[in-house]
PDB file of all heavy atoms in Angstrom:
ATOM      1  N   LEU A   8      95.194 105.787 117.732  1.00 95.00           N
ATOM      2  CA  LEU A   8      95.836 106.872 117.021  1.00 95.00           C
ATOM      3  C   LEU A   8      97.355 106.928 117.224  1.00 95.00           C
ATOM      4  O   LEU A   8      98.071 107.183 116.275  1.00 95.00           O
ATOM      5  CB  LEU A   8      95.218 108.214 117.324  1.00 95.00           C
ATOM      6  CG  LEU A   8      93.786 108.350 117.009  1.00 95.00           C
ATOM      7  CD1 LEU A   8      93.171 109.665 117.518  1.00 95.00           C
ATOM      8  CD2 LEU A   8      93.638 108.295 115.417  1.00 95.00           C
ATOM      9  N   TRP A   9      97.785 106.595 118.427  1.00 94.00           N
ATOM     10  CA  TRP A   9      99.271 106.563 118.694  1.00 94.00           C
ATOM     11  C   TRP A   9      99.905 105.404 117.798  1.00 94.00           C
ATOM     12  O   TRP A   9     100.931 105.625 117.237  1.00 94.00           O
ATOM     13  CB  TRP A   9      99.474 106.360 120.218  1.00 94.00           C
ATOM     14  CG  TRP A   9     100.893 105.984 120.565  1.00 94.00           C
ATOM     15  CD1 TRP A   9     101.938 106.956 120.613  1.00 94.00           C
ATOM     16  CD2 TRP A   9     101.577 104.801 120.811  1.00 94.00           C
ATOM     17  NE1 TRP A   9     103.132 106.307 120.946  1.00 94.00           N
ATOM     18  CE2 TRP A   9     102.875 105.008 121.059  1.00 94.00           C
ATOM     19  CE3 TRP A   9     101.090 103.454 120.802  1.00 94.00           C
ATOM     20  CZ2 TRP A   9     103.780 104.019 121.372  1.00 94.00           C
ATOM     21  CZ3 TRP A   9     101.910 102.466 121.117  1.00 94.00           C
ATOM     22  CH2 TRP A   9     103.274 102.679 121.392  1.00 94.00           C
ATOM     23  N   LEU A  10      99.224 104.223 117.839  1.00 95.00           N
ATOM     24  CA  LEU A  10      99.720 103.168 117.004  1.00 95.00           C
ATOM     25  C   LEU A  10      99.826 103.554 115.522  1.00 95.00           C
ATOM     26  O   LEU A  10     100.678 103.173 114.824  1.00 95.00           O
ATOM     27  CB  LEU A  10      98.803 101.890 117.174  1.00 95.00           C
ATOM     28  CG  LEU A  10      98.998 101.140 118.473  1.00 95.00           C
ATOM     29  CD1 LEU A  10      97.846 100.162 118.698  1.00 95.00           C
ATOM     30  CD2 LEU A  10     100.313 100.418 118.493  1.00 95.00           C
ATOM     31  N   LYS A  11      98.770 104.217 115.010  1.00 96.00           N
ATOM     32  CA  LYS A  11      98.779 104.678 113.692  1.00 96.00           C
ATOM     33  C   LYS A  11      99.941 105.594 113.328  1.00 96.00           C
ATOM     34  O   LYS A  11     100.515 105.523 112.253  1.00 96.00           O
ATOM     35  CB  LYS A  11      97.391 105.419 113.360  1.00 96.00           C
ATOM     36  CG  LYS A  11      97.196 105.708 111.874  1.00 96.00           C
ATOM     37  CD  LYS A  11      95.791 106.320 111.756  1.00 96.00           C
ATOM     38  CE  LYS A  11      95.502 106.435 110.275  1.00 96.00           C
ATOM     39  NZ  LYS A  11      94.130 106.765 110.012  1.00 96.00           N
ATOM     40  N   GLU A  12     100.276 106.347 114.276  1.00 95.00           N
ATOM     41  CA  GLU A  12     101.507 107.257 114.140  1.00 95.00           C
ATOM     42  C   GLU A  12     102.832 106.501 114.250  1.00 95.00           C
ATOM     43  O   GLU A  12     103.752 106.749 113.487  1.00 95.00           O
ATOM     44  CB  GLU A  12     101.525 108.387 115.192  1.00 95.00           C
ATOM     45  CG  GLU A  12     100.458 109.361 115.079  1.00 95.00           C
ATOM     46  CD  GLU A  12     100.466 110.414 116.214  1.00 95.00           C
ATOM     47  OE1 GLU A  12     101.410 110.323 117.088  1.00 95.00           O
ATOM     48  OE2 GLU A  12      99.540 111.173 116.404  1.00 95.00           O
ATOM     49  N   LYS A  13     102.844 105.480 115.064  1.00 95.00           N
ATOM     50  CA  LYS A  13     104.080 104.712 115.390  1.00 95.00           C
ATOM     51  C   LYS A  13     104.491 103.798 114.220  1.00 95.00           C
ATOM     52  O   LYS A  13     105.637 103.646 113.905  1.00 95.00           O
ATOM     53  CB  LYS A  13     103.907 103.968 116.694  1.00 95.00           C
ATOM     54  CG  LYS A  13     105.126 103.180 117.097  1.00 95.00           C
ATOM     55  CD  LYS A  13     104.986 102.677 118.407  1.00 95.00           C
ATOM     56  CE  LYS A  13     106.185 101.780 118.862  1.00 95.00           C
ATOM     57  NZ  LYS A  13     107.466 102.528 118.809  1.00 95.00           N
ATOM     58  N   TYR A  14     103.485 103.024 113.682  1.00 96.00           N
ATOM     59  CA  TYR A  14     103.797 101.948 112.763  1.00 96.00           C
ATOM     60  C   TYR A  14     103.304 102.338 111.354  1.00 96.00           C
ATOM     61  O   TYR A  14     102.268 102.964 111.178  1.00 96.00           O
ATOM     62  CB  TYR A  14     103.195 100.739 113.182  1.00 96.00           C
ATOM     63  CG  TYR A  14     103.799 100.116 114.515  1.00 96.00           C
ATOM     64  CD1 TYR A  14     102.955 100.118 115.694  1.00 96.00           C
ATOM     65  CD2 TYR A  14     105.056  99.644 114.548  1.00 96.00           C
ATOM     66  CE1 TYR A  14     103.560  99.594 116.906  1.00 96.00           C
ATOM     67  CE2 TYR A  14     105.589  99.128 115.733  1.00 96.00           C
ATOM     68  CZ  TYR A  14     104.885  99.133 116.863  1.00 96.00           C
ATOM     69  OH  TYR A  14     105.402  98.634 118.000  1.00 96.00           O
ATOM     70  N   PRO A  15     104.001 101.827 110.289  1.00 97.00           N
ATOM     71  CA  PRO A  15     103.598 102.062 108.965  1.00 97.00           C
ATOM     72  C   PRO A  15     102.308 101.256 108.620  1.00 97.00           C
ATOM     73  O   PRO A  15     102.077 100.246 109.321  1.00 97.00           O
ATOM     74  CB  PRO A  15     104.709 101.625 108.133  1.00 97.00           C
ATOM     75  CG  PRO A  15     105.588 100.738 109.044  1.00 97.00           C
ATOM     76  CD  PRO A  15     105.355 101.081 110.439  1.00 97.00           C
ATOM     77  N   PRO A  16     101.547 101.705 107.746  1.00 97.00           N
ATOM     78  CA  PRO A  16     100.390 100.974 107.290  1.00 97.00           C
ATOM     79  C   PRO A  16     100.721  99.503 106.909  1.00 97.00           C
ATOM     80  O   PRO A  16     101.760  99.226 106.414  1.00 97.00           O
ATOM     81  CB  PRO A  16      99.822 101.710 106.037  1.00 97.00           C
ATOM     82  CG  PRO A  16     100.426 103.103 106.119  1.00 97.00           C
ATOM     83  CD  PRO A  16     101.694 102.901 106.872  1.00 97.00           C
ATOM     84  N   GLY A  17      99.815  98.620 107.385  1.00 97.00           N
ATOM     85  CA  GLY A  17     100.040  97.225 107.041  1.00 97.00           C
ATOM     86  C   GLY A  17     100.713  96.417 108.144  1.00 97.00           C
ATOM     87  O   GLY A  17     100.818  95.282 108.074  1.00 97.00           O
ATOM     88  N   THR A  18     101.267  97.152 109.209  1.00 97.00           N
ATOM     89  CA  THR A  18     101.880  96.432 110.341  1.00 97.00           C
ATOM     90  C   THR A  18     100.877  95.686 111.139  1.00 97.00           C
ATOM     91  O   THR A  18      99.849  96.224 111.493  1.00 97.00           O
ATOM     92  CB  THR A  18     102.613  97.464 111.249  1.00 97.00           C
ATOM     93  OG1 THR A  18     103.514  98.291 110.532  1.00 97.00           O
ATOM     94  CG2 THR A  18     103.245  96.820 112.402  1.00 97.00           C
ATOM     95  N   LEU A  19     101.129  94.409 111.291  1.00 97.00           N
ATOM     96  CA  LEU A  19     100.209  93.572 112.026  1.00 97.00           C
ATOM     97  C   LEU A  19     100.385  93.759 113.575  1.00 97.00           C
ATOM     98  O   LEU A  19     101.570  93.715 114.061  1.00 97.00           O
ATOM     99  CB  LEU A  19     100.437  92.081 111.732  1.00 97.00           C
ATOM    100  CG  LEU A  19      99.469  91.094 112.351  1.00 97.00           C
ATOM    101  CD1 LEU A  19      98.039  91.318 111.989  1.00 97.00           C
ATOM    102  CD2 LEU A  19      99.926  89.634 112.006  1.00 97.00           C
ATOM    103  N   ILE A  20      99.275  93.954 114.194  1.00 96.00           N
ATOM    104  CA  ILE A  20      99.343  94.071 115.686  1.00 96.00           C
ATOM    105  C   ILE A  20      98.376  93.092 116.343  1.00 96.00           C
ATOM    106  O   ILE A  20      97.501  92.530 115.719  1.00 96.00           O
ATOM    107  CB  ILE A  20      98.881  95.518 116.162  1.00 96.00           C
ATOM    108  CG1 ILE A  20      97.442  95.813 115.781  1.00 96.00           C
ATOM    109  CG2 ILE A  20      99.871  96.565 115.655  1.00 96.00           C
ATOM    110  CD1 ILE A  20      96.887  97.140 116.302  1.00 96.00           C
ATOM    111  N   ALA A  21      98.700  92.681 117.616  1.00 96.00           N
ATOM    112  CA  ALA A  21      97.840  91.802 118.336  1.00 96.00           C
ATOM    113  C   ALA A  21      97.364  92.506 119.652  1.00 96.00           C
ATOM    114  O   ALA A  21      98.273  93.037 120.358  1.00 96.00           O
ATOM    115  CB  ALA A  21      98.474  90.474 118.629  1.00 96.00           C
ATOM    116  N   VAL A  22      96.112  92.556 119.880  1.00 94.00           N
ATOM    117  CA  VAL A  22      95.584  93.342 121.055  1.00 94.00           C
ATOM    118  C   VAL A  22      94.582  92.578 121.874  1.00 94.00           C
ATOM    119  O   VAL A  22      93.945  91.652 121.423  1.00 94.00           O
ATOM    120  CB  VAL A  22      94.941  94.677 120.587  1.00 94.00           C
ATOM    121  CG1 VAL A  22      96.013  95.500 119.843  1.00 94.00           C
ATOM    122  CG2 VAL A  22      93.808  94.413 119.629  1.00 94.00           C
ATOM    123  N   THR A  23      94.488  92.978 123.101  1.00 90.00           N
ATOM    124  CA  THR A  23      93.382  92.440 124.007  1.00 90.00           C
ATOM    125  C   THR A  23      92.139  93.370 124.028  1.00 90.00           C
ATOM    126  O   THR A  23      91.066  92.958 124.447  1.00 90.00           O
ATOM    127  CB  THR A  23      93.902  92.301 125.384  1.00 90.00           C
ATOM    128  OG1 THR A  23      94.530  93.445 125.845  1.00 90.00           O
ATOM    129  CG2 THR A  23      94.936  91.171 125.509  1.00 90.00           C
ATOM    130  N   THR A  24      92.336  94.636 123.582  1.00 86.00           N
ATOM    131  CA  THR A  24      91.147  95.543 123.456  1.00 86.00           C
ATOM    132  C   THR A  24      91.075  95.851 121.993  1.00 86.00           C
ATOM    133  O   THR A  24      91.533  96.745 121.466  1.00 86.00           O
ATOM    134  CB  THR A  24      91.389  96.866 124.269  1.00 86.00           C
ATOM    135  OG1 THR A  24      92.706  97.419 123.848  1.00 86.00           O
ATOM    136  CG2 THR A  24      91.469  96.632 125.764  1.00 86.00           C
ATOM    137  N   ALA A  25      90.239  94.971 121.348  1.00 86.00           N
ATOM    138  CA  ALA A  25      90.203  94.998 119.873  1.00 86.00           C
ATOM    139  C   ALA A  25      89.086  95.768 119.237  1.00 86.00           C
ATOM    140  O   ALA A  25      88.824  95.762 118.133  1.00 86.00           O
ATOM    141  CB  ALA A  25      90.017  93.537 119.365  1.00 86.00           C
ATOM    142  N   GLY A  26      88.441  96.688 120.001  1.00 86.00           N
ATOM    143  CA  GLY A  26      87.468  97.573 119.409  1.00 86.00           C
ATOM    144  C   GLY A  26      88.141  98.829 118.875  1.00 86.00           C
ATOM    145  O   GLY A  26      88.559  98.930 117.746  1.00 86.00           O
ATOM    146  N   ALA A  27      87.972  99.883 119.700  1.00 88.00           N
ATOM    147  CA  ALA A  27      88.410 101.197 119.292  1.00 88.00           C
ATOM    148  C   ALA A  27      89.938 101.241 118.956  1.00 88.00           C
ATOM    149  O   ALA A  27      90.328 101.916 117.962  1.00 88.00           O
ATOM    150  CB  ALA A  27      88.180 102.196 120.454  1.00 88.00           C
ATOM    151  N   VAL A  28      90.724 100.446 119.627  1.00 91.00           N
ATOM    152  CA  VAL A  28      92.193 100.426 119.387  1.00 91.00           C
ATOM    153  C   VAL A  28      92.382 100.027 117.870  1.00 91.00           C
ATOM    154  O   VAL A  28      93.129 100.768 117.129  1.00 91.00           O
ATOM    155  CB  VAL A  28      92.955  99.529 120.332  1.00 91.00           C
ATOM    156  CG1 VAL A  28      94.404  99.417 119.828  1.00 91.00           C
ATOM    157  CG2 VAL A  28      92.887  99.965 121.742  1.00 91.00           C
ATOM    158  N   CYS A  29      91.761  99.013 117.474  1.00 92.00           N
ATOM    159  CA  CYS A  29      91.927  98.525 116.087  1.00 92.00           C
ATOM    160  C   CYS A  29      91.406  99.537 115.103  1.00 92.00           C
ATOM    161  O   CYS A  29      92.002  99.803 113.989  1.00 92.00           O
ATOM    162  CB  CYS A  29      91.345  97.157 115.900  1.00 92.00           C
ATOM    163  SG  CYS A  29      92.133  95.887 116.926  1.00 92.00           S
ATOM    164  N   TYR A  30      90.222 100.040 115.409  1.00 93.00           N
ATOM    165  CA  TYR A  30      89.499 100.911 114.456  1.00 93.00           C
ATOM    166  C   TYR A  30      90.407 102.154 114.257  1.00 93.00           C
ATOM    167  O   TYR A  30      90.560 102.529 113.114  1.00 93.00           O
ATOM    168  CB  TYR A  30      88.169 101.359 115.108  1.00 93.00           C
ATOM    169  CG  TYR A  30      87.432 102.323 114.208  1.00 93.00           C
ATOM    170  CD1 TYR A  30      86.671 101.887 113.088  1.00 93.00           C
ATOM    171  CD2 TYR A  30      87.352 103.646 114.535  1.00 93.00           C
ATOM    172  CE1 TYR A  30      86.022 102.884 112.323  1.00 93.00           C
ATOM    173  CE2 TYR A  30      86.760 104.580 113.773  1.00 93.00           C
ATOM    174  CZ  TYR A  30      86.021 104.154 112.673  1.00 93.00           C
ATOM    175  OH  TYR A  30      85.359 105.113 111.844  1.00 93.00           O
ATOM    176  N   PHE A  31      90.850 102.803 115.300  1.00 94.00           N
ATOM    177  CA  PHE A  31      91.510 104.086 115.122  1.00 94.00           C
ATOM    178  C   PHE A  31      92.935 103.842 114.718  1.00 94.00           C
ATOM    179  O   PHE A  31      93.536 104.794 114.107  1.00 94.00           O
ATOM    180  CB  PHE A  31      91.482 104.846 116.470  1.00 94.00           C
ATOM    181  CG  PHE A  31      90.074 105.502 116.681  1.00 94.00           C
ATOM    182  CD1 PHE A  31      89.212 104.975 117.647  1.00 94.00           C
ATOM    183  CD2 PHE A  31      89.760 106.552 115.980  1.00 94.00           C
ATOM    184  CE1 PHE A  31      87.971 105.484 117.802  1.00 94.00           C
ATOM    185  CE2 PHE A  31      88.458 107.133 116.135  1.00 94.00           C
ATOM    186  CZ  PHE A  31      87.558 106.540 117.084  1.00 94.00           C
ATOM    187  N   SER A  32      93.539 102.756 114.947  1.00 95.00           N
ATOM    188  CA  SER A  32      94.901 102.482 114.409  1.00 95.00           C
ATOM    189  C   SER A  32      94.950 102.286 112.959  1.00 95.00           C
ATOM    190  O   SER A  32      95.889 102.562 112.246  1.00 95.00           O
ATOM    191  CB  SER A  32      95.549 101.295 115.141  1.00 95.00           C
ATOM    192  OG  SER A  32      95.031 100.028 114.677  1.00 95.00           O
ATOM    193  N   ASP A  33      93.792 101.743 112.417  1.00 96.00           N
ATOM    194  CA  ASP A  33      93.703 101.338 111.022  1.00 96.00           C
ATOM    195  C   ASP A  33      94.819 100.411 110.569  1.00 96.00           C
ATOM    196  O   ASP A  33      95.275 100.408 109.381  1.00 96.00           O
ATOM    197  CB  ASP A  33      93.732 102.637 110.113  1.00 96.00           C
ATOM    198  CG  ASP A  33      93.120 102.427 108.802  1.00 96.00           C
ATOM    199  OD1 ASP A  33      92.244 101.582 108.623  1.00 96.00           O
ATOM    200  OD2 ASP A  33      93.518 103.139 107.812  1.00 96.00           O
ATOM    201  N   LEU A  34      95.222  99.608 111.511  1.00 97.00           N
ATOM    202  CA  LEU A  34      96.195  98.549 111.284  1.00 97.00           C
ATOM    203  C   LEU A  34      95.567  97.176 111.270  1.00 97.00           C
ATOM    204  O   LEU A  34      94.700  96.973 111.995  1.00 97.00           O
ATOM    205  CB  LEU A  34      97.320  98.546 112.286  1.00 97.00           C
ATOM    206  CG  LEU A  34      98.186  99.877 112.289  1.00 97.00           C
ATOM    207  CD1 LEU A  34      99.082  99.932 113.549  1.00 97.00           C
ATOM    208  CD2 LEU A  34      98.927 100.032 111.045  1.00 97.00           C
ATOM    209  N   PRO A  35      96.048  96.194 110.463  1.00 96.00           N
ATOM    210  CA  PRO A  35      95.576  94.853 110.550  1.00 96.00           C
ATOM    211  C   PRO A  35      95.857  94.348 111.922  1.00 96.00           C
ATOM    212  O   PRO A  35      96.958  94.579 112.452  1.00 96.00           O
ATOM    213  CB  PRO A  35      96.336  94.067 109.505  1.00 96.00           C
ATOM    214  CG  PRO A  35      97.445  94.957 109.136  1.00 96.00           C
ATOM    215  CD  PRO A  35      97.123  96.334 109.472  1.00 96.00           C
ATOM    216  N   SER A  36      94.877  93.718 112.516  1.00 95.00           N
ATOM    217  CA  SER A  36      95.063  93.275 113.898  1.00 95.00           C
ATOM    218  C   SER A  36      94.471  91.839 114.237  1.00 95.00           C
ATOM    219  O   SER A  36      93.598  91.357 113.590  1.00 95.00           O
ATOM    220  CB  SER A  36      94.327  94.203 114.865  1.00 95.00           C
ATOM    221  OG  SER A  36      92.962  94.326 114.472  1.00 95.00           O
ATOM    222  N   LEU A  37      95.087  91.269 115.246  1.00 95.00           N
ATOM    223  CA  LEU A  37      94.605  89.956 115.773  1.00 95.00           C
ATOM    224  C   LEU A  37      93.970  90.313 117.128  1.00 95.00           C
ATOM    225  O   LEU A  37      94.619  91.014 117.959  1.00 95.00           O
ATOM    226  CB  LEU A  37      95.814  89.057 115.948  1.00 95.00           C
ATOM    227  CG  LEU A  37      96.586  88.659 114.699  1.00 95.00           C
ATOM    228  CD1 LEU A  37      97.888  87.995 115.116  1.00 95.00           C
ATOM    229  CD2 LEU A  37      95.733  87.757 113.827  1.00 95.00           C
ATOM    230  N   ASP A  38      92.860  89.683 117.431  1.00 93.00           N
ATOM    231  CA  ASP A  38      92.254  89.804 118.692  1.00 93.00           C
ATOM    232  C   ASP A  38      92.664  88.596 119.509  1.00 93.00           C
ATOM    233  O   ASP A  38      92.233  87.532 119.326  1.00 93.00           O
ATOM    234  CB  ASP A  38      90.750  89.872 118.472  1.00 93.00           C
ATOM    235  CG  ASP A  38      89.946  89.919 119.870  1.00 93.00           C
ATOM    236  OD1 ASP A  38      90.645  89.986 120.885  1.00 93.00           O
ATOM    237  OD2 ASP A  38      88.682  89.955 119.782  1.00 93.00           O
ATOM    238  N   ILE A  39      93.519  88.888 120.490  1.00 93.00           N
ATOM    239  CA  ILE A  39      94.104  87.858 121.326  1.00 93.00           C
ATOM    240  C   ILE A  39      92.974  87.033 122.095  1.00 93.00           C
ATOM    241  O   ILE A  39      93.033  85.851 122.270  1.00 93.00           O
ATOM    242  CB  ILE A  39      95.083  88.437 122.306  1.00 93.00           C
ATOM    243  CG1 ILE A  39      96.339  88.925 121.598  1.00 93.00           C
ATOM    244  CG2 ILE A  39      95.500  87.426 123.410  1.00 93.00           C
ATOM    245  CD1 ILE A  39      97.279  89.764 122.431  1.00 93.00           C
TER     246      ILE A  39
END
């Protein structure tokens, strides 16, 4: 949710915890 507030929609993120973080951010993501 913090990521969703911080970045505009469509911002690509890369994460090591790709479950809830990606789901709640609603941002396109890469699972490292």
Side-chain angles (χ1 to χ4, degrees):
L8 293 172
W9 174 79
L10 285 167
K11 188 174 188 170
E12 291 174 11
K13 180 173 180 57
Y14 293 111
T18 300
L19 181 63
I20 62 173
V22 297
T23 52
T24 51
V28 172
C29 299
Y30 177 80
F31 286 102
S32 73
D33 201 26
L34 296 171
S36 59
L37 298 167
D38 178 359
I39 293 170

